[in-house]
């Protein structure tokens, strides 16, 4: 249990940051899920438009420290490859 005033303040700050980060992570996952659903449905236009919205959202989360840069790049690359493959099929 936090005893000093600074430790109590740190606990409050951590709780606020956790809430914000959780909301941001959830928001990104929602955008990624929309892309995944469009790919699963085989809808090329919907997948492409959802991907164009999801990509900057993912990089924004990276700049806020929610995801590591390489993780975001890897996910975007894999999604892009799948959307492109859907377009060719």
């Amino acid at each position: 249990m936090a005893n000093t005033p600074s430790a109590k303040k740190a606990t409050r700050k951590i709780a606020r940051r956790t809430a914000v980060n959780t909301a941001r992570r959830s928001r990104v996952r929602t955008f990624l899920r929309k892309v995944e659903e469009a790919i699963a449905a085989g809808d090329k236009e919907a997948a492409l438009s959802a991907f164009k919205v999801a990509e900057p959202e993912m990089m924004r989360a990276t700049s806020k420290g929610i995801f590591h840069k390489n993780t975001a790049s890897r996910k975007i690359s894999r999604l892009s490859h799948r959307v492109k493959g859907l377009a060719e099929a």
Side-chain angles (χ1 to χ4, degrees):
M1 182 65 199
N3 291 322
T4 63
S6 61
K8 291 178 182 177
K9 181 179 178 180
T11 304
R12 292 193 305 269
K13 285 170 61 177
I14 289 168
R16 279 196 303 268
R17 297 297 334 147
T18 301
V20 169
N21 289 342
T22 303
R24 285 183 178 143
R25 190 175 298 114
S26 175
R27 178 179 164 87
V28 169
R29 286 178 179 159
T30 300
F31 282 106
L32 294 178
R33 191 186 73 245
K34 288 179 183 176
V35 177
E36 293 285 349
E37 289 173 353
I39 290 172
D43 190 352
K44 182 177 89 171
E45 291 80 18
L48 193 58
S49 63
F51 178 71
K52 286 184 178 180
V53 174
E55 183 180 6
E57 197 64 39
M58 188 75 176
M59 294 315 290
R60 190 171 300 119
T62 300
S63 70
K64 301 291 184 183
I66 307 301
F67 295 108
H68 191 272
K69 181 179 65 170
N70 293 352
T71 303
S73 294
R74 182 181 67 244
K75 287 180 182 285
I76 288 170
S77 176
R78 288 178 181 174
L79 270 179
S80 174
H81 185 70
R82 289 175 59 198
V83 170
K84 183 179 177 187
L86 186 68
E88 292 171 354

